Amino acid sequence: MSTRSEDKKTLRQRLVQERQQLPDRLERIARLQHVMRLWLMERKDSVIGAYWPIKGEFDPLPALYRWQEDAVLGSSILSPEGRKENPAVNVLAGAHENQRRIGLPVVNKEHKTLIFYSWYPGCPMEPDAYDIPKPKDTAIVVPTLLFVPCLGYAPGGYRLGYGGGFYDRTLATLQPKPFTVGLAYSNALVPDFQPEPHDVPLDAILTDAGLVFGA
């Protein structure tokens, strides 16, 4: 193992430990949820890919469910029928009609890439090959916007992951390429990170401190 690999392995271990031990985790979660929701207001995407949080990662699903729900509430309030009924009723059915969908990744064992399956609160889940929950028997979706967990992030939009390369391989095959947004807590900044030739920068990065890269 090279010194560079050893350094990166040590860095990953430190970042995971720091993230899991954040004393102000709840405050950071609330701020990043707010940042994410505001940022999504400017987007026109109807299918968004995300992830199931592990190892202390920020959970993007509550904000995405609100994003999905907002479309239902808006269309219900604007319609004559919606004025007579509770607009919060049948949120999932309305979301389907408005084509706002959320996808969670499942690893393709053969190609080591990610396939996204439709997720909604309460949908059946089962463990994947890595014992991470994944949607069970739902439709495949192709996201135009992809939220990516960042173990660390660096100037220029670079992301430090766990080293599996799943997102890099997936982004190399998805057509059209989705707009990629990293999600992290602001303490995960790695200012001296040196990207390797295969590292591709994200289009934007959001943290509890706001938009720190991209638009």
Side-chain angles (χ1 to χ4, degrees), residues 16-209:
V16 168
Q17 185 178 29
E18 288 180 356
R19 187 170 64 192
Q20 292 176 327
Q21 296 177 352
L22 283 171
D24 56 348
R25 173 187 300 277
L26 293 180
E27 292 85 352
R28 288 177 182 267
I29 289 172
R31 289 198 298 268
L32 185 44
Q33 291 279 2
H34 182 67
V35 168
M36 189 176 165
R37 289 201 67 205
L38 289 178
W39 186 86
L40 279 170
M41 291 176 65
E42 302 299 322
R43 297 291 304 184
K44 303 299 182 184
D45 304 271
S46 60
V47 182
I48 295 180
Y51 57 90
W52 189 273
I54 61 172
K55 300 181 181 180
E57 290 172 341
F58 169 75
D59 185 355
L61 297 178
L64 286 176
Y65 179 55
R66 291 291 299 274
W67 162 80
Q68 190 179 61
E69 189 179 49
D70 286 345
V72 181
L73 297 178
S75 63
S76 298
I77 292 170
L78 290 173
S79 68
E81 294 80 5
R83 297 190 189 101
K84 300 175 183 177
E85 301 174 359
N86 183 346
V89 174
N90 295 326
V91 165
L92 295 180
H96 179 76
E97 292 171 4
N98 285 276
Q99 297 299 304
R100 279 195 174 182
R101 299 186 182 185
I102 303 164
L104 290 184
V106 177
V107 176
N108 181 309
K109 294 182 181 179
E110 179 181 357
H111 303 291
K112 301 297 183 182
T113 57
L114 303 173
I115 301 172
F116 291 84
Y117 287 81
S118 180
W119 173 88
Y120 53 89
C123 82
M125 303 289 284
E126 61 184 356
D128 67 6
Y130 297 89
D131 205 32
I132 299 173
K134 68 180 181 67
K136 181 180 180 181
D137 301 326
T138 60
I140 293 176
V141 296
V142 180
T144 58
L145 170 63
L146 183 57
F147 283 110
V148 182
C150 296
L151 182 53
Y153 66 95
Y158 288 99
R159 164 187 179 266
L160 177 68
Y162 298 109
F166 296 114
Y167 281 99
D168 291 334
R169 285 189 292 271
T170 300
L171 293 173
T173 59
L174 282 180
Q175 293 296 329
K177 180 181 177 295
F179 190 91
T180 54
V181 184
L183 295 175
Y185 299 120
S186 56
N187 68 296
L189 174 64
V190 185
D192 57 350
F193 178 77
Q194 295 296 319
E196 298 183 37
H198 63 269
D199 289 328
V200 178
L202 300 166
D203 295 306
I205 297 177
L206 301 177
T207 76
D208 48 289

